[in-house]
Structures are given as structure tokens and as C-alpha cells.
């Protein structure tokens, strides 16, 4: 894994999210788990080489951030927001997270052997032991972990700020130089959460996807969100139908999709545009 600071490590070059860990003088803390089975097993071994795992923190409920928890059973307490707990590997008509995890196996030679049966997996996927709402601060040895509720990309989204290392793990509140997935999102909340991240005093921003960056990139991510929303709002103002919006509003040329998921480009564009159309055209509840 890539060393970001003397005690902070992250993996940004493998399919799935960017998992990371911090080494304290009283054990280690994992932030998000690798989606690919062999990578999850290897990461656990690597982290445990630095000290026992005290906590496994998830920044959101999407499969690429939580599926790997399965391979960290018995390694400390799993910590995540109530919004992650409530949506943990839930099957939706538009996406079956377990099948999506299975779909990635061709990118992971050896992963097939470690991949559980569906029933075996759901019997104990290693979800939250310590579940919270709002923010939570964990002190582990000589380090502080501020778990900041930063909803937007997903309702249970958090950022993990470690002041002693001057780093923040933002999860998918930041997609650096790759496509932004916003179909399960509240864009306005997301922009407010970017402001929360922007206020931190840090040198390194470890995004959910893409290379490690700095706080400057918050401005780019905000622009991406505003562009998406205003492009769809503009199309609605022109009277376009949902089908027209999905067909014509597209940011595919802007960035590639993160590693290994290039085949999802059309899916992302279609669901980003369609979900924004649905949210912007929904009839607000009447005041009474
Ligand atoms: Zn992600």
C-alpha cells in the first residue's frame, strides 16, 4: 500500500474503493475494506503486521466500501453510521450489491476461492458493532479519529479526520479524476459536506476513488456536482422529457470511470441524469 504519512497508508490503484489504515501506539485502525477478496485478505495481513486491528470503519454503505468487511471478521470492532447499518448490502431492484461484488472476480485471480455463498455471506457480513448518528470521536492510543457525518453521496456518509497525521479520508465525498456516482445522492447536502471537509486543517485528502489529493480538489468536486445538477435543471426548464435528459445530458467525456469499472460508464451517466431528473421534478409536499 502507498504510504501517505509516517503512520497513514492507503491503496488507490486497485479496483474498489481506496481502503486505508492508520498505525497508532495502541493498535491499528482500518478505514474501508477492499472489495476484491484476495486484496482484503492481504490487507488484513499487512495491517496486522503493524499491530492488532482495533477498529474497522466504513465511510458509506456502497458495496465497494463494505463487502471486504467479511474478510476482517474478528479484527476489532466494525464502526459505521446508522445510515450505513440500515443499508448494509441491501439488495435493490437497480443493483444487487452481492452480485456486483461477484462481478468483479475476474479482476481478482484467486478471489473465487475466497468468495462466499450468498447465504453464508448474509449470515454474518461483519456489519456494525458500534453504530452512531451525528459525529463520533474515537481515541486510539496516540491518535484521534474524528468521524464526521458528511451526508450527500449517501445518507450515512462520513469523513475520517486524523489530526495527528494531518489527513482526512473523505470516502466518496470526493472522486478524484474519475466519474462521480450520484444516483443515491442528495447533491445539496453533498455540497454542504464539501464545505465541512474544506474547513479541516489537513495536508492530505484520501478520496474514495482516485489518487490522493489536497483540499484544493474540493473545488473541482463541487464544480462537478453543480454542473450535473444545473445541466439537468436547465434541460427540465427547456421542457425535455426524462428520456431526453437521460439521452442527452452526459459527462462521459470528462473523466474515466475508476479502475476496472469502465464498462459501467453508460450505467453511471444514465442513473446520474435520471435520478437528478426525478429529484428535481418531484412534487414537493404541500404546506398546510
Ligand atoms: Zn465508492
Amino acid at each position: 500500500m502507498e504510504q501517505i504519512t509516517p503512520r497513514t497508508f492507503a491503496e488507490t490503484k486497485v479496483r474498489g474503493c481506496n481502503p486505508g489504515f492508520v498505525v497508532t501506539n495502541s493498535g491499528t485502525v482500518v478505514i474501508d475494506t477492499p472489495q476484491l477478496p484476495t486484496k482484503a485478505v492481504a490487507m488484513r495481513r499487512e495491517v496486522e503486521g503493524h499491530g492488532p486491528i482495533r477498529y474497522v470503519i466504513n465511510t458509506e454503505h456502497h458495496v465497494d466500501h463494505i463487502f471486504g468487511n467479511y474478510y476482517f471478521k474478528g479484527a476489532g470492532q466494525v464502526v459505521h453510521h446508522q445510515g450505513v447499518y440500515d443499508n448494509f448490502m441491501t439488495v435493490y431492484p437497480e443493483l444487487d450489491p452481492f452480485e456486483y461484488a461477484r462481478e468483479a472476480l475476474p479482476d481478482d485471480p484467486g478471489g473465487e476461492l475466497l468468495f462466499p455463498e450468498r447465504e453464508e455471506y448474509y449470515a454474518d457480513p461483519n456489519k456494525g458493532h458500534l453504530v452512531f448518528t451525528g459525529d463520533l470521536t474515537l481515541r486510539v492510543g496516540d491518535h484521534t479519529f474524528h468521524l464526521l457525518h458528511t451526508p450527500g453521496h449517501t445518507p450515512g456518509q462520513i469523513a475520517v479526520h486524523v489530526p495527528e497525521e494531518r489527513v482526512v479520508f473523505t470516502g466518496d465525498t470526493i472522486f478524484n479524476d474519475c466519474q462521480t456516482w450520484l444516483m443515491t445522492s442528495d447533491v445539496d447536502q453533498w455540497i454542504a459536506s464539501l464545505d465541512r471537509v474544506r474547513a479541516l486543517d489537513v495536508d492530505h485528502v484520501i478520496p474514495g476513488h482516485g489518487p490522493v489529493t489536497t483540499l484544493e480538489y474540493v473545488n473541482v468536486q463541487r464544480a462537478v456536482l453543480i454542473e450535473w445538477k444545473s445541466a439537468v435543471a436547465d434541460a427540465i426548464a427547456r421542457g425535455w422529457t426524462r428520456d431526453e435528459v437521460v439521452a442527452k445530458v452526459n459527462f462521459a467525456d470528462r473523466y474515466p470511470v475508476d479502475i476496472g469499472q469502465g464498462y459501467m460508464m453508460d450505467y453511471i451517466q444514465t442513473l446520474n441524469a435520471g435520478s437528478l431528473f426525478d429529484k428535481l421534478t418531484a412534487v414537493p409536499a404541500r404546506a398546510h
Side-chain angles (χ1 to χ4, degrees):
M1 294 179 87
E2 189 182 335
Q3 186 164 15
I4 316 301
T5 72
R7 299 191 178 278
T8 308
F9 300 79
E11 176 61 74
T12 64
K13 296 183 177 68
V14 169
R15 178 172 179 171
C17 72
N18 290 339
F21 68 94
V22 176
V23 180
T24 82
N25 68 359
S26 182
T28 52
V29 174
V30 170
I31 296 109
D32 285 338
T33 51
Q35 179 187 335
L36 301 179
T38 67
K39 303 294 179 190
V41 169
M43 179 178 171
R44 177 172 178 171
R45 197 177 305 127
E46 180 176 347
V47 179
E48 287 178 334
H50 291 270
I53 297 172
R54 300 280 306 279
Y55 296 105
V56 172
I57 300 170
N58 299 116
T59 59
E60 66 172 73
H61 76 268
H62 286 158
V63 57
D64 52 322
H65 300 255
I66 62 173
F67 178 73
N69 283 21
Y70 185 79
Y71 303 99
F72 283 76
K73 282 189 202 182
Q77 303 261 293
V78 174
V79 185
H80 45 233
H81 193 274
Q82 185 74 44
V84 177
Y85 191 85
D86 292 343
N87 292 291
F88 201 95
M89 291 295 282
T90 307
V91 177
Y92 294 102
E94 66 276 13
L95 191 75
D96 176 346
F98 187 79
E99 282 311 309
Y100 194 64
R102 193 202 301 278
E103 252 174 62
L105 289 177
D107 290 347
D108 187 26
E112 190 87 44
L113 288 169
L114 299 166
F115 199 80
E117 293 297 325
R118 182 181 281 270
E119 276 175 28
E120 184 189 349
Y121 171 79
Y122 277 97
D124 181 12
N126 199 23
K127 67 191 276 194
H129 305 111
L130 207 167
V131 178
F132 64 99
T133 57
D135 297 340
L136 178 72
T137 295
L138 298 169
R139 295 193 193 280
V140 184
D142 52 358
H143 281 71
T144 316
F145 297 81
H146 292 300
L147 281 52
L148 308 174
H149 189 211
T150 49
H153 174 65
T154 63
Q157 199 77 29
I158 60 163
V160 181
H161 174 217
V162 188
E164 293 83 359
E165 300 298 312
R166 299 183 61 78
V167 302
V168 60
F169 295 80
T170 64
D172 290 2
T173 297
I174 294 188
F175 286 84
N176 183 14
D177 284 337
C178 55
Q179 284 287 330
T180 293
W181 298 53
L182 49 74
M183 44 285 227
T184 58
S185 305
D186 180 319
V187 169
D188 297 333
Q189 277 188 342
W190 191 335
I191 291 168
S193 290
L194 283 171
D195 275 339
R196 205 168 179 207
V197 170
R198 201 155 58 91
L200 299 173
D201 184 19
V202 295
D203 298 324
H204 307 281
V205 171
I206 299 164
H209 297 270
V212 175
T213 184
T214 64
L215 281 178
E216 301 278 296
Y217 195 81
V218 166
N219 296 323
V220 179
Q221 184 66 61
R222 182 173 53 196
V224 167
L225 296 175
I226 291 172
E227 280 186 273
W228 258 111
K229 187 170 176 181
S230 57
V232 174
D234 187 55
I236 293 166
R238 288 165 195 270
W240 293 10
T241 64
R242 190 182 196 281
D243 285 348
E244 286 172 317
V245 169
V246 167
K248 295 191 218 165
V249 178
N250 191 302
F251 289 86
D253 58 350
R254 192 66 63 85
Y255 297 109
V257 184
D258 191 30
I259 303 163
Q261 298 172 92
Y263 71 97
M264 298 296 281
M265 182 63 95
D266 287 346
Y267 174 91
I268 297 168
Q269 302 304 316
T270 298
L271 268 78
N272 279 4
S275 65
L276 279 169
F277 180 91
D278 293 341
K279 284 164 193 159
L280 291 171
T281 56
V283 179
R286 279 181 204 282
H288 54 103

